[in-house]
Amino acid sequence: MSALISSRHRRAAGRALVFALTLSHGAHAWHGVRSDDPLTRVFYDFEVAVYCGLVSPGVRAGFERELARLRALEGADTGTEQRARMRAWKEANLEWQNRGLGGFRGWCRSEGREAAARFAGTEKP
């Protein structure tokens, strides 16, 4: 009987550990980019459009225009820009992974299209 209880406790503890690790490591990514930094946001939106296959010449040009505008406005150095780019890539990647098999399709229909439309300057890409 004690082996059965012990086994149940181990399974429960294992589930609790997985849940805690999920919350601490990647759960934030289910809600998109966490950063309020505009530079990180522009990189994140572009990465989402890339993951979703929504990058057209117009989307790329819009991204480059927005990036140039932010560079002029923020005056960020190369290191700051690189950190923003890496943070955005990491969060987009975590978001994509958190969706599971096929779950990214809804993400692409919503957040992906919004990101592409932001750069294309249209309502829908």
Side-chain angles (χ1 to χ4, degrees):
M1 184 69 128
S2 66
L4 180 61
I5 293 171
S6 177
S7 175
R8 286 182 186 164
H9 286 297
R10 276 195 302 266
R11 280 196 308 267
R15 280 186 289 234
L17 178 61
V18 168
F19 181 72
L21 288 173
T22 300
L23 287 178
S24 69
H25 178 65
H28 69 272
W30 286 322
H31 304 291
V33 70
R34 290 186 302 165
S35 179
D36 292 332
D37 173 43
L39 198 54
T40 301
R41 184 74 220 188
V42 76
F43 282 123
Y44 175 83
D45 283 349
F46 189 71
E47 284 299 325
V48 172
V50 168
Y51 270 97
C52 296
L54 298 172
V55 177
S56 66
V59 169
R60 180 171 297 282
F63 164 72
E64 290 171 0
R65 278 191 306 274
E66 181 66 12
L67 186 56
R69 185 188 73 76
L70 284 174
R71 281 177 177 148
L73 184 67
E74 302 277 325
D77 61 20
T78 305
T80 300
E81 188 173 314
Q82 185 63 29
R83 284 187 295 279
R85 183 185 301 265
M86 293 306 295
R87 193 168 40 251
W89 177 84
K90 178 184 171 190
E91 293 201 20
N93 188 305
L94 285 171
E95 180 71 25
W96 181 77
Q97 288 178 6
N98 282 336
R99 297 299 175 142
L101 294 174
F104 67 91
R105 289 184 184 100
W107 178 56
C108 288
R109 277 192 301 270
S110 60
E111 196 170 339
R113 285 182 186 243
E114 289 170 14
R118 170 187 179 187
F119 296 124
T122 62
E123 199 170 9
K124 289 189 177 180

